[in-house]
Amino acid sequence: MPTSPLISADELRQALSRADQDWLLIDCRFNLGNTAAGEAAYAQGHLPGALYAHLDRDLSGPKTGTNGRHPMPSPETFECTVQSWGIQPGTRVVAYDDAGGMFAARLWWLLRWAGFEQVQVLDGGWQAWLAAQGPVDTHAATRRSPSAFQIQPRADWVVRAADVQARLGQPEQQLLIDARAADRFRGENETMDPVGGHIPGARNRFFQLNLQADGRFKPADQLKAEFEALLAASPMNTVVHQCGSGVTACHNLLAMAQAGLPATRLYAGSWSEWCADPARPVER
C-alpha cells in the first residue's frame, strides 16, 4: 500500500509508541531571511530523536550564480547525505518544519526523487505536534551508524531551463505552475531575486493555498478539485512545477500527491535560475 504523503501528529505519536517500525524524524525548520534560525530552533527543542536538515547544506547543491538560489544536490552528494542519516530500506521517514510544510516538502520530494517512497510530512508541523502535546527533546539526537543505502534518481522527474525554454508557447507540451505569491508572480514586490516577473505562459498557484487556517493541508478532495480547475484538463505529463528556487514548488507537488493526482515534474532551478540569464523572456 502506498505511503500517504502526510501523517497527523496524533498518528505519529501512536506510531512512535510502538517498537515494530524504524522511524527517522527530520527537522527541516528554516528561515530564508536568517539561515541560522532553524538550527537554533532545533537546539531549543525538537521531536524526540529528530535529526536536523539544513536547507542550504543538506537539501541543496552549490550555487554558481546562474543555477538558482537552491539548486538540487547532485545524486552523489544526496546519496551521501541519505547514508549519513542512517536510512535503511525499511526506514520510515517523517519530515517537519514550522512553516506549513514549506521546507519539509523539499525533503519529501528529494527522497522520492531518489527512489525512497516511505517518507511523509507531518501535517501542521511543529505547531501541530505541540498542540497534540507531543514530547519535546532539547538534546541533539544521537546519529545512527551510516548506511549503505543507494539512491535511484528519477531523472524524468526533473526538467532543465533549456527544456522549459524549448517548450515555451506550446501549451500542449508544457504547463508551468508557479508556487510564488501572486504579487511576485506579477512582478511586484520582488525582494528575493534581482528580476521581477514570471516565465511566459506560467499559471500561478501560491503554495499557501494548499493550507487551512490552522496550517494543516486542506482535505484531499478539496485539493483535487482546486488543482483540476487550475490544470483545466491539461495532460499530467505536461505539468511542470516551479517557484522562486525550487523549494515551495515541492509543496504543490506534495499537495497534488495528497489529492491522489499522478506525479508531475519539477523545474528545480525555477525563477532564480531563469532570470539569471537576461536572454530568457520574462512576463509581467
Side-chain angles (χ1 to χ4, degrees), residues 147-248:
S147 71
F149 188 84
Q150 294 184 323
I151 71 170
Q152 298 178 341
R154 292 164 157 147
D156 59 338
W157 278 25
V158 182
V159 299
R160 310 296 178 187
D163 303 322
V164 173
Q165 191 157 6
R167 293 174 176 81
L168 289 181
Q170 302 179 56
E172 73 284 356
Q173 295 291 323
Q174 174 175 265
L175 172 58
L176 291 166
I177 305 298
D178 190 324
R180 294 176 299 161
D183 58 343
R184 290 184 64 206
F185 177 79
R186 293 192 300 267
E188 305 164 1
N189 306 318
E190 180 57 67
T191 59
M192 301 295 293
D193 295 304
V195 179
H198 59 266
I199 301 173
R203 298 178 188 176
N204 187 215
R205 167 75 181 188
F206 185 31
F207 78 96
Q208 293 278 9
L209 294 176
N210 300 324
L211 302 175
Q212 304 176 102
D214 64 0
R216 292 182 298 122
F217 277 74
K218 292 175 178 176
D221 288 348
Q222 184 177 354
L223 289 171
K224 186 171 188 284
E226 292 178 6
F227 273 98
E228 286 181 340
L230 176 69
L231 301 182
S234 297
M236 288 293 173
N237 62 3
T238 68
V239 177
V240 175
H241 292 269
Q242 47 98 182
C243 54
S245 65
V247 176
T248 58

Side-chain angles (χ1 to χ4, degrees), residues 5-260:
L6 300 175
I7 186 169
S8 73
D10 287 337
E11 289 172 331
L12 182 58
R13 284 197 68 181
Q14 293 173 15
L16 294 178
S17 69
R18 302 191 299 268
D20 60 347
Q21 182 70 57
D22 175 27
W23 290 90
L24 175 61
L25 311 182
I26 301 185
D27 188 320
C28 300
R29 283 178 287 178
F30 193 77
N31 185 311
L32 293 171
N34 178 3
T35 59
E39 208 159 14
Y42 171 85
Q44 293 173 2
H46 50 266
L47 271 66
L51 301 179
Y52 181 73
H54 192 283
L55 176 63
D56 291 341
R57 294 197 306 265
D58 301 311
L59 308 182
S60 303
K63 292 184 286 189
T64 65
T66 60
N67 64 347
R69 285 184 281 108
H70 295 107
M72 279 182 59
S74 69
E76 296 79 13
T77 298
F78 191 62
E79 182 174 82
C80 289
T81 299
V82 169
Q83 291 175 348
S84 75
W85 290 334
I87 290 179
Q88 301 285 355
T91 303
R92 292 282 298 274
V93 176
V94 175
Y96 71 92
D97 60 33
D98 58 0
M102 177 179 177
F103 304 109
R106 167 78 165 209
L107 175 56
W108 171 85
W109 184 86
L110 278 173
L111 283 173
R112 295 185 71 245
W113 161 78
F116 185 82
E117 297 286 352
Q118 297 174 153
V119 55
Q120 296 172 289
V121 168
L122 176 59
D123 196 12
W126 175 247
Q127 296 90 332
W129 184 255
L130 295 180
Q133 300 183 328
V136 172
D137 196 353
T138 57
H139 301 288
T142 301
R143 297 191 74 92
R144 304 170 175 217
S145 299
S147 71
F149 188 84
Q150 294 184 323
I151 71 170
Q152 298 178 341
R154 292 164 157 147
D156 59 338
W157 278 25
V158 182
V159 299
R160 310 296 178 187
D163 303 322
V164 173
Q165 191 157 6
R167 293 174 176 81
L168 289 181
Q170 302 179 56
E172 73 284 356
Q173 295 291 323
Q174 174 175 265
L175 172 58
L176 291 166
I177 305 298
D178 190 324
R180 294 176 299 161
D183 58 343
R184 290 184 64 206
F185 177 79
R186 293 192 300 267
E188 305 164 1
N189 306 318
E190 180 57 67
T191 59
M192 301 295 293
D193 295 304
V195 179
H198 59 266
I199 301 173
R203 298 178 188 176
N204 187 215
R205 167 75 181 188
F206 185 31
F207 78 96
Q208 293 278 9
L209 294 176
N210 300 324
L211 302 175
Q212 304 176 102
D214 64 0
R216 292 182 298 122
F217 277 74
K218 292 175 178 176
D221 288 348
Q222 184 177 354
L223 289 171
K224 186 171 188 284
E226 292 178 6
F227 273 98
E228 286 181 340
L230 176 69
L231 301 182
S234 297
M236 288 293 173
N237 62 3
T238 68
V239 177
V240 175
H241 292 269
Q242 47 98 182
C243 54
S245 65
V247 176
T248 58
C250 296
H251 201 278
N252 278 344
L253 283 154
L254 173 61
M256 286 186 64
Q258 178 65 12

